[in-house]
Amino acid sequence: MNNIVSIIVPCYNQAQYLDEALQSVLNQTYQNWECIIVNDGSPDDTEEVAKKWLEKDARFQYFYKENGGVSSARNLGISHAIGEFILPLDADDRIGSNYINLGIKEFKRDSALKLVYSKAEYFGDKTGSWNLQPFSISDLARLNMIFCSAIYRKKDWELVGGYDINMIHGIEDWEFWIAILKDGGNVFCLETVEFYYRIKKMSRQKQLEGKKTKIMNEYMSIKHVDFFVKQLGSFMELNEVIDFNKKCSENLKSEKFVIDAFCATFFGFSVFGLYKVKK
């Protein structure tokens, strides 16, 4: 293992917070890292802030791209990463100084480990502990208990084709965790607080509500129907978890992929070519 950790920091309209995020990177007790800042077509002074950090430390890099969303920004950064390990960090959040050091120790201890994350706290407009539910693969089918800044291997990003750029309205990290974990692998949560999540009056997460949430849930449930059916046991329970309405149920019935994945999960064969699916 080269043990280099590539920290990927996408930035869109977050220049005012970027210094704090990058300072938390510079404060790491673990020194074998690089930090790739990706300006996702931001109209603010992200470039000016980023370039100051390039002068401070040669381990910082900077890339600009046209605006395409956080998934495409992370993918661009990771495509340039030389590290074996990846740590995404949103430009308005912070990491604890021992996060990478503790995380790499766990990867060395457990060869089956796919994700390391930690306890977390809020800061900004709200402070205090972020009481995340303990991880289990079955509960991951119901909710996301792992924040976006978990440490994982670049090879796992490659195996699943990166972050899904269709997740344009958010919860792209939840979809990504499902993609890399649904076929197995261990997850470890550090006992110390090593992640700090900024609460703002208006955030991307707060904007993710209503119709946009429903669209992303529906898309994800179809893409990973094999996972959801395996973990939840039935389409009925799946519908309850992601709050499907009648229209969504009709859409699901028309998807050949859903039927095929269901049969592959429970019966071990594909129905494609055996009979025509009525649309």
Side-chain angles (χ1 to χ4, degrees), residues 170-237:
I171 64 173
E172 73 292 326
D173 50 337
W174 187 13
E175 189 279 325
F176 183 70
W177 304 144
I178 290 172
I180 68 174
L181 292 172
K182 68 180 184 178
D183 293 325
N186 295 338
V187 174
F188 187 84
C189 181
L190 301 169
E191 288 301 317
T192 55
V193 175
E194 302 295 341
F195 179 71
Y196 301 87
Y197 181 73
R198 186 186 297 273
I199 299 295
K200 305 189 295 289
K201 291 181 180 178
M202 181 56 67
S203 68
R204 187 169 66 96
Q205 191 61 36
K206 290 178 182 177
Q207 291 171 334
L208 180 64
E209 53 188 28
K211 186 176 181 180
K212 291 181 179 180
T213 304
K214 178 176 171 290
I215 291 170
M216 292 296 91
N217 279 332
E218 290 175 6
Y219 173 82
M220 187 169 66
S221 68
I222 292 172
K223 179 178 179 180
H224 297 295
V225 64
D226 55 337
F227 168 75
F228 285 108
V229 171
K230 180 179 179 181
Q231 297 301 325
L232 300 177
S234 71
F235 278 109
M236 183 177 294
E237 189 170 356

Side-chain angles (χ1 to χ4, degrees), residues 101-141:
N101 187 41
L102 294 172
I104 295 301
K105 286 181 179 178
E106 293 304 323
F107 277 106
K108 289 180 177 180
R109 183 184 62 82
D110 182 1
S111 62
L113 196 57
K114 281 196 173 180
L115 280 181
V116 172
Y117 68 115
S118 72
K119 304 294 184 183
E121 286 185 359
Y122 297 119
F123 75 108
D125 289 344
K126 177 183 177 180
T127 59
S129 297
W130 185 1
N131 296 316
L132 296 163
Q133 180 170 318
F135 172 80
S136 75
I137 193 66
S138 59
D139 284 339
L140 188 64

Side-chain angles (χ1 to χ4, degrees), residues 19 25 105 140 144 147 163 177 196:
D19 280 334
V25 173
K105 286 181 179 178
L140 188 64
N144 184 22
F147 46 75
Y163 289 91
W177 304 144
Y196 301 87

Side-chain angles (χ1 to χ4, degrees), residues 22-222:
L22 299 184
Q23 186 63 54
S24 75
V25 173
L26 193 62
N27 289 345
Q28 291 301 298
T29 57
Y30 188 89
Q31 294 297 302
N32 200 13
W33 56 262
E34 63 172 356
C35 182
I36 299 173
I37 307 159
V38 180
N39 183 343
D40 188 29
S42 187
D44 60 12
D45 59 343
T46 291
E47 182 167 326
E48 289 75 13
V49 175
K51 287 186 174 179
K52 289 189 299 183
W53 286 87
L54 270 64
E55 296 173 0
K56 288 183 180 182
D57 195 301
R59 291 173 292 180
F60 288 101
Q61 300 178 53
Y62 172 78
F63 293 93
Y64 175 88
K65 64 180 288 295
E66 294 299 320
N67 181 252
V70 67
S71 289
S72 65
R74 286 184 188 143
N75 286 342
L76 175 68
I78 297 170
S79 71
H80 289 281
I82 63 171
E84 179 181 3
F85 297 96
I86 302 296
L87 169 56
L89 175 62
D90 285 353
D92 55 344
D93 294 331
R94 300 191 317 237
I95 50 176
S97 60
N98 288 318
Y99 190 23
I100 298 177
N101 187 41
L102 294 172
I104 295 301
K105 286 181 179 178
E106 293 304 323
F107 277 106
K108 289 180 177 180
R109 183 184 62 82
D110 182 1
S111 62
L113 196 57
K114 281 196 173 180
L115 280 181
V116 172
Y117 68 115
S118 72
K119 304 294 184 183
E121 286 185 359
Y122 297 119
F123 75 108
D125 289 344
K126 177 183 177 180
T127 59
S129 297
W130 185 1
N131 296 316
L132 296 163
Q133 180 170 318
F135 172 80
S136 75
I137 193 66
S138 59
D139 284 339
L140 188 64
R142 295 177 169 84
L143 66 129
N144 184 22
M145 69 289 290
I146 306 173
F147 46 75
C148 69
S149 295
I151 305 170
Y152 56 89
R153 287 184 174 87
K154 183 178 178 179
K155 70 177 183 180
D156 287 320
W157 171 85
E158 293 170 340
L159 285 171
V160 301
Y163 289 91
D164 190 335
I165 61 172
N166 293 306
M167 303 291 291
I168 57 175
H169 299 307
I171 64 173
E172 73 292 326
D173 50 337
W174 187 13
E175 189 279 325
F176 183 70
W177 304 144
I178 290 172
I180 68 174
L181 292 172
K182 68 180 184 178
D183 293 325
N186 295 338
V187 174
F188 187 84
C189 181
L190 301 169
E191 288 301 317
T192 55
V193 175
E194 302 295 341
F195 179 71
Y196 301 87
Y197 181 73
R198 186 186 297 273
I199 299 295
K200 305 189 295 289
K201 291 181 180 178
M202 181 56 67
S203 68
R204 187 169 66 96
Q205 191 61 36
K206 290 178 182 177
Q207 291 171 334
L208 180 64
E209 53 188 28
K211 186 176 181 180
K212 291 181 179 180
T213 304
K214 178 176 171 290
I215 291 170
M216 292 296 91
N217 279 332
E218 290 175 6
Y219 173 82
M220 187 169 66
S221 68
I222 292 172

